[in-house]
Amino acid sequence: MRVGLFVTCLVDLMRPSVGFAALELLKAAGCEVVVPQAQTCCGQPGYNSGDRAAARALALKLVGEFEDCDYVVVPSGSCAGMIRVHYPTLFRDEPAALERVRRLSARTYELTDFLVSVARLDAPPGEFHGVVTFHDSCSGLRELGVQRQPRALLARMPDLTLVEMREATTCCGFGGTFAVKYDDISTRMADKKCAHIDASGADAVVACDLGCLLQIEGRLRRRGDHATMVLHVAEVLAGEEGACG
Amino acid sequence: MRLEAVQFRRKAAEALDNERLQRALEKFPSRFVDTRAAALAELGNTEQLRDAAADIRARTLRDLDAWLRRFERAAAARGATVHWAEDADEANRIVTEIARAHGVRKAVKSKSMVTEECGLNEYLERQGLEVIETDLGEYILQLAHEPPSHIVAPVVHKSKEEIAELFEEKHRKPRKDDIAELCREAREELRPHFLGADMGISGANFLIAETGSVLIVTNEGNGRLVTTLPRVHVAVSGIEKVVPTLEDATTLLRLLPRSATGQAITNYVSLLTGTRGAGESEGPEHCHIVLVDAGRSRMLGTELEPMLRCIRCGACMNHCPVYQNIGGHAYGWVYPGPMGAVLTPALAGIEQALDLPNASTFCGACSEVCPVKIPLPDLMRHWRERQTEQRLRPRRERLLLRLWAWTALRPRLYAVVARAVARLLHGLGGSDGLVHRLPGASGWTRGRDLPAPPGLTFHALYRKRRGA
Ligand code: SF4
């Protein structure tokens, strides 16, 4: 099974350890992993900012780079959702391109969804001692139905305890450029998330999207919480937390 | 209602700092979110029902003109007169003329968002008519001279204490602090108005094409009095409210109260058909129905058509994390939250509401709960795209986006830039590994730190590892 790993632009720039953790996990699940070197961004910032042309150009670029893989796996629900759900709408009026895009979209998975539904990873290689709470990232949850998969994987880690926080499925307020354009609203949304994390008493908050993690960690630290770890699910599952290559 | 959506940023910031409002907004999760979930869980077949509801609305919109004519014929056969208003002004003029023709001096009103859209109250008052809102929430707002902040619970932004103060001042009666007593006092104040009014003005939740009926759901019974007690009943409705049959309406009714307030059904469901017939004990002598377009027909046949499926349940705003934090007034018009972010630019003009479709994280909570499955984030994105096309976005934003896209399409250049940015951000990080001030993106660091990256990009590290 040849799997193309799309690490996403945010992981590439801000947190390479997530990419390596994903690599680890896919290998542990028995996949042959390739990382196309020309990959950049899925086009989501342009798409959500109303720049359809930019989004289409980047979509075609990505499709070309991953076409020869059996699957595309992405350690991000929102980028996976972009490819799986939104790419086809970008080309809905062009049958030829649409056909090609659809073929790739249908083979694209969010990482934990892939590990559970396709690769059937039984034993995550990592170790984690402590209590974690899980934040459901919006696109993964509502566009791809990622909810049970990351929890199922975390449940397979013997020393990890999962406690649910209140309103785990409420948006953390990141929203890409929203976080900067409407920073006051965005920060207030993060505040509520932080309060729920705090109340859960967990040692770490875990999510499937780096955007949410930057938002949550950024606000937790500013609020003076330097203790709660903020981790990508891949880092926990692979035992790569904090490692940077 | 005055259109102030251009002031979104200022109003949102004020709302975030308004402690009274924040306390009022805190009740949303328990009052609307949990109750809706419980009410729909009882049904068991929510998804099929939502599909059926969306289908009824979509089907009707495809032949809207035909269904409206059918409605007009059926209503006329039962003694009602149907009027067509192209815009708010015409609607206001029509209602005024009806009032004049029947020698009306005082009108009582039940809740109607389309009349808020038209500014009907102010218009009628300028023509010398007395207009009294009788929905408790709208009545409170009329006393306070405030616009509604929610389409179902218009006064949700106010606390019980504020209302007690307001009643004490306006009614000149001893202060009451108990909700039941406050309600009783309002009822006492309203009763003479009901009895003395010559005209009742209502909205419409649905117009039934096969019977020519106006269907209204309320919880206070004021809608009954408004539509049956005065000599003249005027129902004002957007043209999109028509549904073909009574059966269609009942399907929608299974979802509307459940989605709105978590009720299986509202306290009152009124089906008003024409004038009082011979031998009938209630109903108005004269019935007029004003069908208002005001920008709706422009949406037909466009990407925005699904928005016309809206049945005004308010679930999208109840579940919107942005609305939950800033309330409805920040949106600056009749329709707040996600549905307003789509409707306001459609009805009032794209440049009147540039912030609204952008002030969303696209979290999708709205479309997940919408009973008629309107893809609200997609429709907000539609407006973002129109803004980009019409060059209505700020120059700096356009420039940055273009630069980003241009770079992202050139992998080698992109890698160089990404490496430089990673190094830069790494350098900006303090000993605690956090960036506290970010030049060029101060919006981020005003309320948050940025976890500094390790300094090398994934791809650089990956190449190194592979080479090693
Ligand atoms: S858009 Fe949907 S959820 Fe929002 S008010 Fe309309 S029907 Fe209700």
Side-chain angles (χ1 to χ4, degrees):
Chain A
M1 182 155 48
R2 196 175 138 89
V3 171
L5 177 64
F6 176 59
V7 293
T8 78
C9 58
L10 214 51
V11 164
D12 178 49
L13 183 69
M14 299 301 294
R15 196 132 154 182
S17 57
V18 174
F20 289 108
L23 209 57
E24 241 359 81
L25 291 167
L26 289 168
K27 284 184 187 156
C31 307
E32 179 206 337
V33 190
V34 292
V35 185
Q37 284 302 288
Q39 60 174 280
T40 55
C41 170
C42 67
Q44 200 180 172
Y47 184 56
N48 284 345
S49 299
D51 190 345
R52 223 179 159 90
R56 285 165 47 98
L58 282 161
L60 288 176
K61 171 176 172 300
L62 188 143
V63 171
E65 284 154 5
F66 284 88
E67 241 162 358
D68 61 345
C69 300
D70 299 321
Y71 295 97
V72 183
V73 173
V74 194
S76 153
S78 75
C79 306
M82 176 72 194
I83 300 170
R84 204 174 162 116
V85 179
H86 297 288
Y87 274 15
T89 57
L90 281 171
F91 298 93
R92 67 182 162 208
D93 301 323
E94 297 148 68
L98 179 62
E99 192 40 45
R100 191 177 154 214
V101 167
R102 272 225 181 100
R103 269 201 300 276
L104 190 91
S105 292
R107 288 183 276 138
T108 301
Y109 286 83
E110 184 277 332
L111 175 68
T112 61
D113 187 16
F114 182 79
L115 292 174
V116 171
S117 316
V118 183
R120 305 195 186 279
L121 175 72
D122 291 323
E127 256 183 62
F128 189 94
H129 298 267
V131 181
V132 306
T133 193
F134 188 79
H135 162 69
D136 291 277
S137 301
C138 298
S139 310
L141 174 70
R142 301 198 177 85
E143 292 179 349
L144 305 172
V146 174
Q147 185 165 32
R148 147 194 76 74
Q149 304 88 324
R151 287 177 173 83
L153 290 168
L154 291 170
R156 286 174 208 162
M157 302 186 69
D159 301 316
L160 179 149
T161 312
L162 177 70
V163 294
E164 294 291 345
M165 67 172 123
R166 272 180 51 210
E167 296 185 32
T169 58
T170 300
C171 180
C172 67
F174 176 64
T177 55
F178 173 88
V180 178
K181 281 186 200 160
Y182 301 94
D183 66 280
D184 49 356
I185 304 174
S186 169
T187 301
R188 185 63 60 83
M189 289 162 75
D191 247 344
K192 295 203 171 156
K193 184 59 70 180
C194 291
H196 292 318
I197 294 167
D198 199 33
S200 77
D203 306 313
V205 53
V206 178
C208 288
D209 257 274
L210 185 53
C212 311
L213 295 176
L214 293 173
Q215 165 86 346
I216 292 170
E217 183 169 3
R219 186 59 193 165
L220 276 176
R221 302 297 177 249
R222 183 62 65 90
R223 283 162 58 109
D225 179 343
H226 292 271
T228 307
M229 291 179 275
V230 182
L231 302 170
H232 193 281
V233 69
E235 294 172 319
V236 177
L237 295 171
E240 281 233 10
E241 69 266 22
C244 44
Chain B
M1 186 170 161
R2 232 202 332 268
L3 173 63
E4 293 174 335
V6 290
Q7 295 173 38
F8 176 82
R9 275 171 190 279
R10 181 178 61 74
K11 284 172 172 253
E14 284 169 10
L16 289 170
D17 283 339
N18 181 339
E19 274 177 37
R20 269 189 160 179
L21 172 68
Q22 289 301 322
R23 268 201 307 279
L25 291 172
E26 272 167 22
K27 40 188 194 222
F28 265 83
S30 61
R31 188 163 154 199
F32 292 105
V33 175
D34 299 348
T35 46
R36 171 195 169 270
L40 285 169
E42 264 173 24
L43 279 177
N45 59 343
T46 313
E47 280 318 294
Q48 288 107 295
L49 257 182
R50 286 174 75 212
D51 282 331
D55 181 61
I56 290 168
R57 301 291 292 132
R59 232 181 330 108
T60 317
L61 289 168
R62 273 201 293 277
D63 294 306
L64 185 61
D65 50 346
W67 290 116
L68 284 169
R69 276 200 295 271
R70 175 97 190 262
F71 172 79
E72 182 181 28
R73 278 199 303 277
R78 296 296 297 261
T81 312
V82 174
H83 307 258
W84 302 79
E86 208 170 311
D87 54 24
D89 253 1
E90 195 175 353
N92 291 340
R93 278 202 306 274
I94 290 170
V95 179
T96 310
E97 278 157 26
I98 297 169
R100 288 228 174 90
H102 293 288
V104 170
R105 281 185 318 272
K106 181 192 278 197
V108 281
K109 258 187 92 201
S110 66
K111 199 164 93 45
S112 149
M113 299 319 284
V114 70
T115 61
E116 293 280 355
E117 211 182 301
C118 297
L120 179 65
N121 289 12
E122 299 76 36
Y123 189 93
L124 291 177
E125 278 163 7
R126 279 201 301 276
Q127 310 301 317
L129 263 87
E130 189 184 358
V131 186
I132 310 286
E133 292 284 355
T134 66
D135 170 87
L136 183 58
E138 292 284 350
Y139 173 70
I140 292 165
L141 295 178
Q142 195 177 25
L143 286 184
H145 301 290
E146 278 178 37
S149 69
H150 190 285
I151 60 170
V152 172
V155 71
V156 71
H157 59 281
K158 272 197 175 320
S159 66
K160 189 183 75 183
E161 288 69 37
E162 284 174 87
I163 295 164
E165 276 164 37
L166 181 75
F167 276 16
E168 186 183 9
E169 183 203 328
K170 301 282 176 176
H171 293 163
R172 295 163 203 259
K173 286 184 182 162
R175 182 185 163 113
K176 321 258 185 323
D177 281 301
D178 179 56
I179 290 185
E181 282 184 52
L182 287 166
C183 290
R184 196 171 312 124
E185 183 171 311
R187 210 176 294 140
E188 281 162 17
E189 292 286 326
L190 284 170
R191 187 151 307 143
H193 292 305
F194 280 122
L195 294 171
D198 321 286
M199 182 160 112
I201 303 172
S202 75
N205 290 93
F206 300 111
L207 306 169
I208 320 285
E210 66 173 351
T211 59
S213 314
V214 174
L215 192 147
I216 297 175
V217 297
T218 69
N219 274 321
E220 295 166 16
N222 66 310
R224 287 259 160 106
L225 293 173
V226 162
T227 55
T228 55
L229 215 50
R231 289 183 284 128
V232 188
H233 171 212
V234 180
V236 186
S237 172
I239 52 171
E240 82 283 14
K241 291 289 184 76
V242 70
V243 294
T245 65
L246 277 171
E247 191 169 339
D248 292 331
T250 56
T251 302
L252 294 164
L253 271 183
R254 301 191 74 194
L255 286 172
L256 174 57
R258 286 185 168 91
S259 304
T261 51
Q263 293 169 285
I265 191 153
T266 45
N267 296 343
Y268 298 87
V269 177
S270 306
L271 194 63
L272 306 155
T273 312
T275 51
R276 184 191 312 184
E280 286 177 358
S281 60
E282 26 176 69
E285 290 165 34
H286 308 278
C287 176
H288 295 268
I289 300 160
V290 185
L291 301 177
V292 186
D293 182 344
R296 288 161 174 76
S297 61
R298 274 204 307 270
M299 297 161 72
L300 288 169
T302 74
E303 265 181 58
L304 292 168
E305 185 172 303
M307 192 61 230
L308 294 172
R309 301 206 291 255
C310 176
I311 58 173
R312 306 289 192 266
C313 72
C316 55
M317 60 200 74
N318 295 344
H319 291 75
C320 172
V322 174
Y323 179 98
Q324 283 177 3
N325 279 294
I326 61 173
H329 284 157
Y331 293 83
W333 204 43
V334 192
Y335 303 113
M339 54 89 81
V342 179
L343 263 183
T344 304
L347 300 181
I350 183 171
E351 60 297 318
Q352 291 296 330
L354 292 174
D355 277 309
L356 267 43
N358 285 292
S360 159
T361 61
F362 283 168
C363 78
C366 49
S367 47
E368 189 180 38
V369 296
C370 176
V372 285
K373 294 199 166 178
I374 300 172
L376 290 151
D378 291 342
L379 300 183
M380 286 185 245
R381 192 183 293 103
H382 163 92
W383 283 120
R384 295 186 188 185
E385 287 172 359
R386 298 295 83 73
Q387 288 185 14
T388 302
E389 277 168 22
Q390 298 174 32
R391 298 172 155 262
L392 292 166
R393 300 303 307 157
R395 254 181 85 89
R396 192 178 114 101
E397 183 185 318
R398 275 190 287 152
L399 212 69
L400 281 173
L401 256 178
R402 211 174 313 149
L403 205 62
W404 158 82
W406 193 82
T407 314
L409 284 165
R410 289 163 178 76
R412 275 166 194 281
L413 174 66
Y414 182 88
V416 173
V417 174
R419 276 204 296 270
V421 174
R423 246 196 323 271
L424 179 75
L425 288 174
H426 177 71
L428 285 172
S431 54
D432 53 3
L434 298 169
V435 181
H436 300 284
R437 276 196 47 221
L438 199 58
S442 56
W444 182 278
T445 44
R446 229 187 316 271
R448 285 154 296 203
D449 293 326
L450 182 73
L456 279 173
T457 63
F458 171 87
H459 292 297
L461 286 163
Y462 182 76
R463 256 193 296 275
K464 251 198 208 171
R465 280 195 182 183
R466 302 254 307 193

